[in-house]
Amino acid sequence: MRISRPLIAVATVTVLAACSGGGAVDGGPGCSGVRDPYFPKAGNGGYDVGHYDLKLAYEPDDEHLAGTATITARATRDLSAFDLDLKGLDVEAVTVEGREARFNRAGQELTVRPADELRDGETFRVSVRYSGEPQTVTDPDDSEEGWLPTADGAVALGQPVGSMAWFPGSHHPSDKATYDLAVTVPEGFGVVSNGELRDERTRGGRTTFTWHTAEPMSSHVATVAVGEWETDRSTTDAGLPVYTAVDPQQSDASRKVLARIPEVMEWGEENFGPYPFSSTGAIVDRVEDAGYALETQNRPYFPGAPSPVLLVHELAHQWYGNSVTPKTWRDMWLSEGIATYAEWLWEEDEGGDTAQQTFDALYDGTYYDEEDEGDSIWAFPPADPPDAERISASPVYQRGAMVLHKIRQKVGDDAFLALLRGWAGAHRHGNADTEDFTAYVEKSAPDEDFTEIWDDWLYGDGRPDRP
């Protein structure tokens, strides 16, 4: 989620198969983009990435980044050339399987021509050495992502396509991979990333932090946060490691809410099933450092101390969005609608408004203080945003959650929670789209008719008639 409210196994995607081989002659180039309906140049065809090994060095004073990205991938067709997504930065050298490769740049596309053709099914390694001042990317909705300088360092936030501003890769949710990341910074700075901290060592006035992410991760939820941090390591009662990093200016404001992470994780497992990753936690930066929170994998990012409800939302994304990841950006509601409904469930369990009361307030237009904001949730169907500018608009969140509540009304509480847990388990560490979800719901409750929910609430225009 990219929320700007006041602070309070790698799979080939069949829906995108037209760009991942299908019918092209052997020995041709891979596609530059997987033809996502909103970001058609994102990702790349002809191969699947399995692992990123990123070695970075960052100078905060100069905002200069130098890196070597070694990408392990498997060709999904015979390839004479393939593309990587990389925005800005200067490419100094490229090798494929240790041999120098020719390359050229065109916009965000880095086209690589290996010395020898790659054969269908072949696993290969491409290494890219690059440097420069990484860019901040402005999205169609005018929010900023990519590499964002902060008051005491920088933070990398990638949703939807900002990760191409700091490392080359196949930057689409359909191509998930594991990660090793080593970042060297001047002594006194800290680096927080995804997964687990494997090593921290200082030599000659510079410190290298090495992080490892063992579970598949989409690049849009990969992060690097450079700055001054107060870190804390603990475990939940179940033994899950908890790692938090907080800007010292936010330490007092964050302490109480971050102490609830173990409680939220236990609640999440009760409602959503086994936690899909090997650690959890949070990153809390200064309020002015970014305009939104984001569900960066393992430890979500917050600009300022989050409210408990926002913490719940971003941790719920670890199941829905990070583990079960949308196949395309059209399927964003499967992440945001479920995470928003997690807020409703939490409030209900905490003795606040029930999910039904929240649903009714949204339907009646009394949930928001401003009438226009209340009307905005009916601007378009949650499963079909009209353009890239609105994939994070309120219908995706609130009306998406209303779809979930309609399903709950239809099947009952016990069956609904079983459905949520089953959905997270069925697509664990994979990708899914809206058609997969509706089929799963129908299979889970074969005696129920969901036609009205799909037609009126999921895909229908305007506010449905009150049932």
Side-chain angles (χ1 to χ4, degrees), residues 35 62 76 131 139 152 163 195 208 213 219 253 297 332 356 390 404 410 412 420:
R35 305 301 183 260
D62 299 330
T76 57
S131 63
D139 285 335
D152 61 346
S163 293
T208 299
T213 302
S219 66
Q297 192 156 301
M332 183 86 148
Q356 185 63 53
R390 284 173 279 190
L404 272 292
K410 174 73 73 173
L420 284 183

Side-chain angles (χ1 to χ4, degrees), residues 87-421:
K87 188 175 181 66
L89 300 169
D90 298 318
V91 176
E92 296 154 11
V94 179
T95 62
V96 177
E97 288 295 281
R99 298 184 63 185
E100 184 176 348
R102 293 180 296 141
F103 64 90
N104 66 279
R105 307 287 299 276
Q108 72 182 55
E109 301 300 325
L110 168 63
T111 302
V112 178
R113 292 175 175 79
D116 297 315
E117 282 193 1
L118 301 170
R119 296 301 180 188
D120 186 4
E122 178 181 354
T123 298
F124 64 96
R125 285 191 180 134
V126 52
S127 182
V128 181
R129 192 172 76 244
Y130 58 98
S131 63
E133 182 178 336
Q135 296 184 10
T136 296
V137 178
T138 301
D139 285 335
D141 65 1
D142 290 331
S143 60
E144 293 185 335
E145 56 173 300
W147 192 271
L148 308 177
T150 62
D152 61 346
V155 61
L157 301 175
Q159 187 173 292
V161 293
S163 293
M164 65 180 175
W166 60 281
F167 69 97
S170 183
H171 293 300
H172 188 267
S174 61
D175 200 350
K176 301 166 79 170
T178 57
Y179 283 71
D180 282 296
L181 190 145
V183 184
T184 300
V185 291
E187 186 176 0
F189 287 87
V191 177
V192 189
S193 187
N194 313 93
E196 286 72 58
L197 181 63
R198 289 291 180 84
D199 191 41
E200 175 185 341
R201 61 182 62 192
T202 300
R203 289 195 185 112
R206 297 175 65 77
T207 305
T208 299
F209 297 81
T210 302
W211 291 85
H212 175 69
T213 302
E215 298 90 1
M217 177 167 68
S218 171
S219 66
H220 78 276
V221 289
T223 191
V224 171
V226 179
E228 298 177 8
W229 305 108
E230 292 183 4
T231 62
D232 182 76
R233 303 186 203 196
S234 61
T235 59
T236 66
D237 289 344
L240 180 70
V242 180
Y243 185 102
T244 61
V246 181
D247 185 286
Q249 291 191 7
Q250 293 296 314
S251 179
D252 291 343
S254 301
R255 188 172 293 112
K256 186 175 181 180
V257 66
L258 295 186
R260 300 192 73 177
I261 289 176
E263 176 189 357
V264 174
M265 298 308 299
E266 181 180 358
W267 177 87
E269 290 205 296
E270 289 174 357
N271 286 275
F272 312 139
Y275 180 63
F277 302 114
S278 51
S279 68
T280 187
I283 303 169
V284 181
D285 224 334
R286 303 184 194 189
V287 175
E288 65 271 18
D289 284 338
Y292 52 88
L294 187 66
E295 63 270 21
T296 42
Q297 192 156 301
N298 303 93
R299 51 194 49 82
Y301 174 87
F302 302 97
S307 68
V309 169
L310 183 55
L311 180 68
V312 166
H313 184 113
E314 302 303 350
L315 289 176
H317 269 308
Q318 306 306 309
W319 283 265
Y320 308 107
N322 294 5
S323 177
V324 185
T325 304
K327 283 183 180 177
T328 79
W329 289 110
R330 175 175 286 146
D331 306 304
M332 183 86 148
W333 83 276
L334 285 173
S335 298
E336 300 302 351
I338 300 179
T340 299
Y341 200 75
E343 297 180 32
W344 300 10
L345 292 173
W346 172 267
E347 291 277 32
E348 190 170 80
D349 289 347
E350 287 285 289
D353 288 346
T354 65
Q356 185 63 53
Q357 288 172 320
T358 303
F359 178 96
D360 289 341
L362 284 164
Y363 187 89
D364 294 337
T366 59
Y367 184 84
Y368 297 105
D369 293 334
E370 299 294 330
E371 183 177 351
D372 288 349
E373 195 170 3
D375 290 341
S376 70
I377 70 171
W378 312 111
F380 58 83
D384 193 18
D387 49 43
E389 181 180 351
R390 284 173 279 190
I391 63 169
S392 294
S394 61
V396 173
Y397 290 71
Q398 301 292 3
R399 190 169 166 186
M402 295 176 88
V403 171
L404 272 292
H405 192 68
K406 295 297 295 182
I407 296 170
R408 179 182 176 183
Q409 290 177 322
K410 174 73 73 173
V411 303
D413 288 358
D414 291 342
F416 177 73
L417 288 178
L419 189 154
L420 284 183
R421 290 191 290 266

Side-chain angles (χ1 to χ4, degrees), residues 7-69:
L7 288 174
I8 32 182
V10 181
T12 303
V13 179
T14 55
V15 73
L16 304 177
C19 194
S20 54
V25 296
D26 289 347
C31 292
S32 58
V34 295
R35 305 301 183 260
D36 184 273
Y38 302 119
F39 299 92
K41 299 293 283 184
N44 296 284
Y47 64 91
D48 285 332
V49 177
H51 185 71
Y52 290 96
D53 186 351
L54 307 176
K55 292 179 171 56
L56 309 177
Y58 185 62
E59 295 291 342
D61 289 346
D62 299 330
E63 297 183 7
H64 185 270
L65 180 71
T68 299

